[in-house]
Amino acid sequence: MVTTHVFIAVSLDGYIARENDDIDWLLQRDDPTEDHGYDAFIADKEWIVMGRGSYEKVLTFDAWPYDRPVLVLSRQLAGTPVPEALKGKVQFSRSTPKEVLGDLAAQNVNRVYIDGGQVIQSFLREGLVADIVITTVPVLLGSGKPLFGTLSRDIDLTLVSSRSFPSGLVQSHYQVRS
């Protein structure tokens, strides 16, 4: 069975990016001397599933940061060729979350990192997220792209752990209750 896991940063008022997709507020707070646990989190993940917005943001980085295969869920990109430099690293798909997990299960994949606001929201709505690690950055943006959208039902969470960092970041790990 494939399980999906979230690891994401959010402003104190719940945004993952500004309206223009800028994450300067997050990058300014990144303290390389602090271990926020990403390496430990990603160590047992076999695939990364993200949305088009996250994919396009990652393309602006100096280098491709992932050493695992990445599936980008996008109706706009599905059917278009993957850039030459990312062939064998990235795939585009218009599949639903359940279809994605079915396809990955057929490949004997067990653990998947889910990234991007809309993708996280769609997996949550379908009850397909096992746990969520949220690092809250002590900044109020006032507007932007929210981590969580409208839900048709409550999603109950159980706090697994919480810790704070000298930079002021607070990280909480939640188990999603079925």
Side-chain angles (χ1 to χ4, degrees):
M1 178 179 145
V2 181
T3 59
T4 65
H5 310 270
V6 173
F7 191 99
I8 197 160
V10 65
S11 66
L12 185 59
D13 50 354
Y15 298 106
I16 57 174
R18 296 186 189 280
E19 291 292 346
N20 65 359
D21 296 321
D22 195 355
I23 57 170
D24 62 330
W25 56 274
L26 173 60
L27 299 177
Q28 290 168 1
R29 298 283 183 142
D30 187 30
D31 182 346
T33 66
E34 290 181 353
D35 178 6
H36 300 131
Y38 176 78
D39 289 339
F41 168 83
I42 197 72
D44 66 350
K45 308 309 180 289
E46 299 153 275
W47 274 77
I48 299 169
V49 176
M50 68 176 56
R52 182 180 54 84
S54 296
Y55 167 72
E56 290 176 349
K57 177 50 78 178
V58 170
L59 288 178
T60 69
F61 297 171
D62 291 337
W64 185 251
Y66 304 114
D67 62 357
R68 285 150 181 76
V70 173
L71 181 65
V72 179
L73 298 184
S74 168
R75 288 184 283 286
Q76 291 178 324
L77 295 175
T80 66
V82 172
E84 194 62 40
L86 297 178
K87 285 194 175 175
K89 298 177 183 180
V90 172
Q91 297 174 27
F92 301 140
S93 173
R94 68 179 66 226
S95 297
T96 67
K98 285 183 181 173
E99 291 169 342
V100 167
L101 296 187
D103 292 345
L104 293 174
Q107 298 174 52
N108 294 316
V109 172
N110 295 301
R111 297 174 61 82
V112 177
Y113 167 30
I114 303 294
D115 194 20
Q118 297 209 3
V119 168
I120 292 169
Q121 291 171 24
S122 66
F123 276 75
L124 274 171
R125 277 192 295 273
E126 294 194 34
L128 300 174
V129 175
D131 66 332
I132 304 170
V133 176
I134 299 175
T135 303
T136 304
V137 179
V139 61
L140 298 172
L141 300 179
S143 66
K145 298 197 172 182
L147 173 55
F148 302 112
T150 305
L151 298 170
S152 61
R153 62 179 173 77
D154 293 351
I155 296 176
D156 289 323
L157 307 172
T158 300
L159 181 65
V160 175
S161 64
S162 187
R163 61 183 177 152
S164 62
F165 297 92
S167 63
L169 276 62
V170 176
Q171 186 175 81
S172 299
H173 179 188
Y174 297 96
Q175 194 79 33
V176 178
R177 293 176 18 185
S178 336

